Amino acid sequence: MTNHIEPTEEYDGRIRVKLLDDHADTRVIPCSSYTEAITLVKEHQHEVTTAKIIDREQEVVFSSADMKIDVWESIWKNEKRRQSVNVEDRDCPYDNISCFFDDLCVQCKMDKLQDEF
């Protein structure tokens, strides 16, 4: 049982799958993750002319007209894995182990803001 624990993350539906068909209306399906978007493309790719995955910045990151979904999924997984292990070391003056160049700890963020003024 969850004891009524609320989820810590909310899905915003900003990743979308766009299914374009020459003989029917275009359908846009909001997704909570790339994994869900990939699954949707795999399910519908043979029913439509083109299937696209659109990211949170409204850019097309996949189009079935350019590439097979299995190839794109493999590239996406490799890039995701690479990014999760490729983190630059940072010597935090507060010895915070979760302080990175692109994601500073609270103390370093405050120092950075103070330095700007």
Side-chain angles (χ1 to χ4, degrees):
M1 299 218 38
T2 62
N3 295 328
H4 305 291
I5 298 174
E6 296 297 319
T8 57
E9 293 183 12
E10 292 184 19
Y11 128 72
D12 61 7
R14 293 190 310 168
I15 297 172
R16 296 173 293 134
V17 171
K18 194 171 196 176
L19 303 171
L20 299 105
D21 192 344
D22 290 341
H23 305 290
D25 290 335
T26 298
R27 290 185 291 165
V28 178
I29 305 168
C31 300
S32 59
S33 67
Y34 281 104
T35 305
E36 182 183 345
I38 291 166
T39 301
L40 276 170
V41 169
K42 286 181 178 181
E43 288 174 3
H44 297 286
Q45 67 183 342
H46 300 294
E47 304 167 4
V48 296
T49 307
T50 304
K52 297 181 178 187
I53 298 176
I54 302 168
D55 69 5
R56 289 177 172 91
E57 286 78 34
Q58 310 306 317
E59 293 186 26
V60 176
V61 293
F62 168 78
S63 174
S64 62
D66 300 331
M67 180 183 293
K68 294 185 184 284
I69 188 64
D70 294 329
V71 174
W72 188 84
E73 179 183 23
S74 175
I75 294 167
W76 174 75
K77 283 181 179 178
N78 287 336
E79 183 63 22
K80 184 177 165 186
R81 188 177 310 114
R82 185 190 67 76
Q83 287 182 2
S84 69
V85 296
N86 189 16
V87 177
E88 293 183 45
D89 290 335
R90 179 177 186 329
D91 291 328
C92 175
Y94 304 100
D95 293 326
N96 188 330
I97 60 170
S98 62
C99 185
F100 303 102
F101 284 104
D102 61 343
D103 189 15
L104 298 174
C105 67
V106 173
Q107 291 95 347
C108 287
K109 284 180 184 177
M110 289 172 33
D111 289 348
K112 185 178 177 182
L113 283 173
Q114 284 179 330
D115 291 342
E116 290 177 4
F117 292 103

